[in-house]
Amino acid sequence: EWIVAGEATSDLVSVDIRRFAPFNGNNRSLRDRVAEVLGVHYDIPWPNRELTTARPFRCSPLYDRLAARGANFGSRMGWERVNFFAPEGVSPELDYTWGKPSWLPWSAAEQRACRQAVAVFDQTSFSKYVVSGPGAVAAMQWICANDVDVPVGRCVYTPLLNRRGTYESDLTVTRTAADEFLLVSSSATTVRDQDWIRRNVPAGAPVTVQDVTGAHAVLGVMGPRSRDLLGRLTDRDLSEEAFPFATSQVLSLAHATVRATRMTYVGELGWELLVPTEFAAGVYDAIMAAGADLGVTDAGYYAIESLRLEKGYRAFGRELTPDYGPVEAGLVFATKVRTEIDFLGREALESARSAGPRRRLAGFVVTDPDAMLWGGELVLRDGRPSGQVTSAAWGETLGGCVGLAYVHDPEGPTTPWAYVDSGSWQADVGGTLVPLDLRRSLG
């Protein structure tokens, strides 16, 4: 079917060859990794399972600094990414369990720092592409479901939809010049995104797609005191009026020139700093020194997962897949369907809006603070199966596990939210039914 249709017509991301990059073809790496994969194939599928062979592999410029600070690293598209930081003198081990892991208090402390002060995340593994050329605007307007024909310096969150109106990716697009765009996407989709863009550029359009992932480190400086911290390192006005949300500026920071973008995946005031790789260590050191009295804290991806779920932010591969579209995901507002501008997947998206969603994506809070959810749990309404958890994690701000789940009304399209707002909701956690406080959104 994939061959006949020219693209997968359902969610086959997990077996898509584009989940690999050319560097994955290294024979020595394959010899080590394939043996390990075979060995764990029949092992218990623990949450957050990390493979250990052929590592460390791709390292950010901050790897040694973060390791010295007690980082535990996971891996995505070969990148070594911090999961969490262990306290000084404690080994940063990743223990596997279905209950609450030993690292949870450490990740919870990182969450508190981000909500109350300021946290620094090494997000160098972000995929980064530059789309440029005389045909760039027309091509991006066709490929992106949201309107990216914006003034230079504006940043737009947009899906990339297929002809069925479902997700192939979601990313941010910053217009950096009249005929140039900077795209920032998830770590795992580097090859997939570029292939999708190149395949769908209108025939003959003068457009260049360049992968610049390795050219820039990314430091996420997030939290209510982030403006105070960065203000100590730059002469640029960082006020709300001079630097509003979803804008991007090139500025001097400490002794480096960086691109600072007001964008967040944790739901707090903050900036994503794109730093030339060779300047990353110096910028990181300057940030940590300048924020010492502001409570600046290193934080990892487990904290990001918890923080984004408290705000109800979606993730590609979890809530956003080739099986779901913006109507079901509650993200129609992030498209230009209300304009007259055509784009890939528009016809299918309009049909989905008219028909109503087959499922609704809802946020939830687990009312039992002792319960631990990881994603994948069955969701029940009044004792009957109604859906499945897509993502779940401990939410320190709310004092319990939080997550997102697609739920289905057997009576028909779930246009009214009455189905979500009523009934008794539970999740099956290892055979125990745990009450859920289901909500339209969490943020």
Side-chain angles (χ1 to χ4, degrees):
E1 184 183 41
W2 192 340
I3 293 171
V4 171
E7 63 188 53
T9 56
S10 60
D11 183 5
L12 294 177
V13 173
S14 64
V15 293
D16 193 326
I17 191 64
R18 294 171 298 176
R19 70 191 186 279
F20 297 113
F23 57 70
N24 291 118
N26 177 280
N27 282 342
R28 179 170 294 185
S29 176
L30 283 172
R31 182 180 295 275
D32 293 341
R33 178 56 60 88
V34 168
E36 181 185 16
V37 170
L38 179 62
V40 302
H41 185 73
Y42 295 104
D43 201 352
I44 298 172
W46 297 110
N48 296 330
R49 159 76 77 174
E50 295 283 357
L51 298 176
T52 60
T53 53
R55 293 181 59 194
F57 190 45
R58 300 177 80 184
C59 297
S60 94
L62 306 179
Y63 178 84
D64 290 338
R65 280 171 166 75
L66 302 180
R69 289 175 175 264
N72 172 274
F73 292 94
S75 180
R76 184 64 61 91
M77 187 53 94
W79 285 103
E80 298 293 326
R81 310 195 314 178
V82 177
N83 292 326
F84 56 83
F85 288 87
E88 186 175 358
V90 179
S91 179
E93 298 299 325
L94 181 61
D95 60 328
Y96 294 124
T97 176
W98 295 105
K100 291 185 177 180
S102 61
W103 50 259
L104 190 59
W106 311 335
S107 180
E110 296 169 17
Q111 296 175 48
R112 289 194 299 272
C114 187
R115 292 279 187 244
Q116 300 169 12
V118 57
V120 177
F121 302 89
D122 180 10
Q123 297 174 286
T124 298
S125 63
F126 273 156
S127 299
K128 315 165 195 82
Y129 334 116
V130 172
V131 177
S132 60
V137 176
M140 290 297 290
Q141 283 289 74
W142 168 247
I143 295 169
C144 297
N146 208 346
D147 188 358
V148 297
D149 190 4
V150 294
V152 172
R154 291 290 300 180
C155 183
V156 178
Y157 169 65
T158 182
L160 305 187
L161 303 179
N162 52 44
R163 289 173 292 179
R164 303 185 312 281
T166 58
Y167 281 88
E168 293 294 333
S169 185
D170 77 317
L171 41 73
T172 60
V173 177
T174 301
R175 192 166 193 176
T176 52
D179 58 356
E180 182 182 272
F181 299 87
L182 171 66
L183 284 60
V184 178
S185 188
S186 65
S187 307
T189 58
T190 310
V191 176
R192 177 188 177 87
D193 287 344
Q194 291 179 81
D195 178 71
W196 183 261
I197 292 168
R198 291 189 176 102
R199 285 174 181 266
N200 289 287
V201 167
V207 174
T208 299
V209 182
Q210 181 184 9
D211 183 4
V212 296
T213 298
H216 303 277
V218 179
L219 292 176
V221 182
M222 303 288 164
R225 309 193 79 173
S226 58
R227 181 179 282 122
D228 297 336
L229 193 163
L230 294 178
R232 297 177 177 183
L233 299 172
T234 183
D235 295 330
R236 187 66 60 86
D237 185 355
L238 302 180
S239 67
E240 191 66 34
E241 295 73 25
F243 208 139
F245 182 71
T247 62
S248 183
Q249 301 180 26
V250 175
L251 50 80
S252 296
L253 192 77
H255 298 115
T257 301
V258 309
R259 173 172 290 281
T261 303
R262 274 282 310 276
M263 189 58 62
T264 176
Y265 199 40
V266 298
E268 294 293 337
L269 172 70
W271 281 261
E272 291 176 356
L273 307 176
L274 270 74
V275 186
T277 301
E278 64 270 30
F279 295 106
V283 169
Y284 171 80
D285 290 345
I287 289 172
M288 300 308 288
D293 64 329
L294 298 175
V296 66
T297 299
D298 289 299
Y301 270 81
Y302 286 177
I304 292 177
E305 179 74 355
S306 296
L307 293 164
R308 70 103 177 169
L309 288 173
E310 285 186 337
K311 291 292 183 176
Y313 295 160
R314 286 72 160 149
F316 183 74
R318 304 280 195 85
E319 292 74 42
L320 312 178
T321 78
D323 285 342
Y324 297 101
V327 174
E328 294 159 317
L331 294 177
V332 174
F333 71 89
T335 72
K336 52 186 176 235
V337 72
R338 293 181 176 86
T339 73
E340 299 301 318
I341 305 169
D342 197 14
F343 59 88
L344 180 60
R346 174 169 187 142
E347 183 177 348
L349 177 56
E350 289 178 335
S351 296
R353 286 182 70 203
S354 299
R358 296 175 294 121
R359 298 175 180 85
R360 282 283 191 186
L361 186 66
F364 65 82
V365 178
V366 180
T367 56
D368 179 0
D370 293 326
M372 191 69 196
L373 279 70
W374 298 95
E377 293 85 0
L378 177 70
V379 175
L380 303 96
R381 181 182 185 271
D382 296 334
R384 298 176 59 190
S386 181
Q388 189 173 30
V389 176
T390 52
S391 300
W394 176 263
E396 178 67 9
T397 311
L398 298 177
C401 280
V402 294
L404 295 167
Y406 277 109
V407 295
H408 170 64
D409 185 350
E411 300 302 321
T414 57
T415 302
W417 277 101
Y419 181 75
V420 172
D421 295 337
S422 63
S424 175
W425 293 92
Q426 298 169 310
D428 186 332
V429 181
T432 299
L433 298 184
V434 175
L436 301 180
D437 179 6
L438 213 66
R439 308 177 182 187
R440 303 184 189 190
S441 64
L442 288 174

